[in-house]
């Protein structure tokens, strides 16, 4: 079993620029002008043009201002502070500055299209630090 990441965006060209600059991803394949594959993570990332106002899941209309979703990306990096600077330079929005946690260091951001993501660097114990003992 494997998985793919798909992100709806209003402008694939702008999203490609953001995700390649923010995360060092590279363009794999282009499927016309509205659908691109980005490589460099353990799973490929597909950016798909879906205009604001079109129907998404459950009759909910797509919107690209900051929105809440129960699913978001955690991007594991070696250096959260450097990754935050790179993401901000690419156009990300900082929502919660980097902070230390028992499992590592984390910052919360959003892409220019309203999708939230976290940048995370694990400590030596990682999530096991939350188990106590």
């Amino acid at each position: 079993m494997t998985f793919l990441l798909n992100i709806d965006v209003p402008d694939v060209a702008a999203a490609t620029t953001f995700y390649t600059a923010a995360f060092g991803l590279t363009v794999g394949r282009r499927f016309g002008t509205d659908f691109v594959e980005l490589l460099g993570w353990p799973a490929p990332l597909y950016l798909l043009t879906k205009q604001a106002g079109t129907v998404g899941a459950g009759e909910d209309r797509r919107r690209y201002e900051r929105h809440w979703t129960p699913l978001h990306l955690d991007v594991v990096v070696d250096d959260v502070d450097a990754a935050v600077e790179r993401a901000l330079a690419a156009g990300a929005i900082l929502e919660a500055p980097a902070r230390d946690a028992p499992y590592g260091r984390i910052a919360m951001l959003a892409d220019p299209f309203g999708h939230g993501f976290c940048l995370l660097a694990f400590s030596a114990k990682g999530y096991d630090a939350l188990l106590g003992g």
Side-chain angles (χ1 to χ4, degrees), residues 7-129:
I7 299 179
D8 293 354
V9 295
D11 181 338
V12 161
T16 300
T17 298
F18 172 76
Y19 280 92
T20 57
F23 302 109
L25 300 175
T26 59
V27 174
R29 298 174 288 174
R30 292 183 186 275
F31 305 95
T33 58
D34 294 333
F35 183 14
V36 67
E37 172 187 63
L38 299 180
L39 304 173
W41 284 344
L45 172 64
Y46 294 94
L47 300 172
L48 300 96
T49 298
K50 303 288 183 175
Q51 293 305 314
T54 59
V55 176
E59 300 301 313
D60 194 17
R61 301 248 174 220
R62 287 181 178 87
R63 56 198 179 282
Y64 293 106
E65 66 277 353
R66 183 64 174 108
H67 56 274
W68 179 86
T69 178
L71 179 67
H72 68 270
L73 298 174
D74 280 352
V75 181
V76 179
V77 298
D78 293 327
D79 181 334
V80 167
D81 299 295
V84 165
E85 289 305 315
R86 181 176 179 160
L88 292 175
I93 299 151
L94 184 65
E95 296 188 333
R99 66 176 176 82
D100 293 320
Y103 50 83
R105 189 160 174 77
I106 187 168
M108 297 172 193
L109 301 97
D111 73 9
F113 317 101
H115 307 300
F117 66 92
C118 295
L119 296 171
L120 173 63
F122 283 111
S123 64
K125 288 187 177 181
Y127 285 142
D128 287 342

